[in-house]
């Protein structure tokens, strides 16, 4: 049977984020958003990982992972402007120690969509001081963890945050303004620039990046193909590459964190330069339980397009929500096959993180998504899905068989 050996020291793991798994995060904008009844569900205890992280990391170990991606909750660490919680810093110290004791390398994201309530109530990322506030938090965290964390993601998916929170208005603060969206993006960029410098000042060998959500945007081939080309081009330029081009030019990326899930078909629209999603006309492609197109070839294309940066790539999130185990397995193998093909063609991929370790709180979808290597029942028991064992064998052997 054909096989592919991944490079030595390849990082294998799963990714999570604080709000989605910890539970009882009451000092941030998502909590307030839910209080304001902007959603029909509450995150509440999430999957209680704040209390069960040891058990979760035993699971990680038993699944053969050698690395783990998690995020720190800014609102826990800095519950008031200028005030840091020693208790919560201590908590995250235990979390990190618990990974290191198991010989699992932590990759820490400093911002994964949620913001402290005090910042939310003071203009959020529209506040001209937002990047400075973020830098204070980063400075404190790095002082605490520079001895034990060397992989950092400053901001998870800045464009997704900007899009959902300031253009589509489906995430807090629910704004729909192109002008505001670009102001926010500008502040997020400043935050990354400052954080990159702060982390490197404390720890020269640190590896710092953002996690960049990328998709292939194809013009819808039904309904006036010619008119669909421009919005697809614009989305690719603005949502995929502009920020990477900018950071690469400033030399503030030590690697590229790629989050890849799906591709979109775009249809021109007179009202919107970015067009609209075209969902009705591509029946031949499989979709997952959330309706997302499954396209491993698009992941290969994106990886090939990243080659121009000449930087290592970590696949910082890849995964799917399915109703059947067989489909997870197919998704996993096909996307790893794309990864292997890209490595053979010279893309320097150094790691792969499945989203997610556990079924968890999926933002405006609530708990209906099922991305986990393990499902979680109402008593918070974790039950491993079969495909997680297939993934385990790949991680442990550093090898993909079906090629
Ligand atoms: C985000 C996660 C989210 C996942 C699935 C990623 O874009 O970083 O927070 O749960 O997608 O939607």
């Amino acid at each position: 049977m054909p096989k592919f050996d991944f490079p030595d020291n390849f990082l294998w793991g799963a990714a999570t984020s604080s709000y989605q798994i910890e539970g009882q995060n009451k000092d941030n904008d998502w909590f307030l958003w839910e209080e304001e009844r902007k959603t029909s569900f509450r995150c509440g205890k999430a999957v209680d990982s704040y209390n069960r992280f040891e058990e979760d990391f035993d699971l990680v170990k038993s699944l053969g992972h050698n690395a783990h991606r998690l995020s720190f909750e800014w609102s826990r660490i800095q519950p008031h402007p200028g005030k840091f919680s020693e208790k919560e810093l201590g908590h995250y110290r235990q979390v990190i120690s618990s990974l290191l004791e198991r010989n699992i390398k932590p990759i820490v994201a400093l911002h994964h969509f949620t913001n402290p309530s005090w910042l939310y109530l003071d203009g959020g990322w529209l506040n001209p001081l937002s990047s400075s506030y973020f830098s204070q938090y980063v400075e404190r965290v790095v002082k605490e963890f520079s001895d034990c964390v060397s992989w950092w993601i400053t901001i998870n998916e800045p464009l997704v945050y900007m899009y959902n929170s300031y253009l589509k208005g489906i995430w807090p603060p629910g704004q729909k303004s192109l002008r505001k969206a670009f102001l926010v993006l500008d502040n997020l960029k400043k935050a990354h620039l400052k954080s990159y410098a702060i982390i490197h000042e404390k720890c020269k060998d640190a590896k710092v990046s953002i996690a960049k959500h990328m998709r292939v945007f194809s013009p819808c081939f039904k309904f006036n193909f010619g008119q669909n080309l421009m919005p697809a081009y614009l989305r690719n330029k603005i949502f995929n590459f502009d920020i990477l081009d900018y950071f690469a030019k400033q030399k503030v990326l030590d690697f590229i964190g790629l989050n890849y899930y799906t591709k979109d078909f775009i249809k021109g629209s007179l009202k919107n330069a970015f067009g609209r999603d075209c969902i009705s006309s591509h029946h031949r492609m499989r979709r997952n339980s959330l309706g997302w197109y499954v396209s491993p070839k698009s992941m290969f294309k994106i990886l090939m397009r990243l080659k121009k940066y000449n930087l290592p790539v970590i696949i910082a999130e890849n995964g799917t929500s399915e109703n059947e185990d067989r489909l997870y397995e197919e998704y996993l193998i096909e996307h790893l096959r794309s990864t292997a093909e890209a490595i053979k063609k010279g893309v320097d991929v150094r790691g792969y993180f499945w989203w997610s370790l556990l079924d968890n709180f999926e933002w405006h979808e609530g708990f209906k998504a099922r991305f986990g290597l393990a499902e979680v029942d109402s008593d918070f028991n974790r039950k491993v899905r079969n495909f997680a064992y297939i993934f385990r064998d790949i991680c442990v052997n550093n090898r993909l068989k079906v090629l």
Side-chain angles (χ1 to χ4, degrees), residues 20 112-113 156-157 213 261 292 317 355 362-363 371:
Q20 293 178 271
H112 197 121
F113 300 149
N156 180 65
E157 302 188 339
H213 183 107
Y261 291 86
W292 303 357
E317 285 181 28
W355 180 271
E362 176 57 25
W363 310 111
F371 283 96

Side-chain angles (χ1 to χ4, degrees), residues 195-222:
S195 308
Y196 183 90
I198 292 169
I199 300 172
H200 275 287
E201 202 175 292
K202 291 263 180 327
C203 178
K204 274 205 190 65
D205 299 331
K207 307 260 178 276
V208 185
S209 186
I210 55 168
K212 180 72 192 78
H213 183 107
M214 300 182 91
R215 302 174 173 216
V216 165
F217 296 106
S218 291
C220 182
F221 42 79
K222 284 199 178 164

Side-chain angles (χ1 to χ4, degrees), residues 18-33:
S18 53
Y19 195 69
Q20 293 178 271
I21 61 163
E22 284 180 351
Q24 306 290 30
N25 275 310
K26 295 185 173 180
D27 280 330
N28 71 22
D29 51 353
W30 261 90
F31 181 81
L32 292 180
W33 181 250

